[in-house]
Amino acid sequence: PDLLEGNQTTPVSTYSVAFYEDATLTTLITNPSVYTNLTNPQTIYVVVTNTNAAATTRCPSEVGSFILQVNPKPIVATQLADFASCDDIDG
């Protein structure tokens, strides 16, 4: 949606999005939904290409990029006491 902001009439079937590990676009990320980053953080490069059959140029976009950062799960340093809850009807 962010790529098409201001142009919501462009159907998804008229473009492809490719993600790469490097700025030279030699290492394609073939399945982005299960990708495991190589470093943390890692720069991912993206190119959007017009695949519309009516388009004569089928031009790719300029190379864009974003930072992929995976934060570790938090670690609790001390043992927490058991929690209890009760109604405080009397104030």
Side-chain angles (χ1 to χ4, degrees):
D2 290 340
L3 294 172
L4 295 175
E5 188 172 335
N7 186 8
Q8 297 300 320
T9 60
T10 303
V12 174
S13 61
T14 62
Y15 63 89
S16 66
V17 180
F19 299 96
Y20 297 88
E21 292 178 340
D22 56 336
T24 59
L25 309 181
T26 55
T27 309
L28 176 66
I29 299 172
T30 55
N31 191 348
S33 25
V34 295
Y35 180 73
T36 301
N37 52 316
L38 303 176
T39 61
N40 196 20
Q42 179 180 355
T43 302
I44 301 294
Y45 300 90
V46 62
V47 174
V48 180
T49 303
N50 181 349
T51 59
N52 187 346
T56 56
T57 60
R58 298 192 182 213
C59 292
S61 68
E62 292 184 22
V63 177
S65 66
F66 60 91
I67 303 294
L68 175 65
Q69 181 169 346
V70 179
N71 294 319
K73 292 181 180 180
I75 298 171
V76 178
T78 60
Q79 182 65 29
L80 296 177
D82 290 337
F83 288 98
S85 63
C86 57
D87 291 334
D88 188 11
I89 296 172
D90 297 324

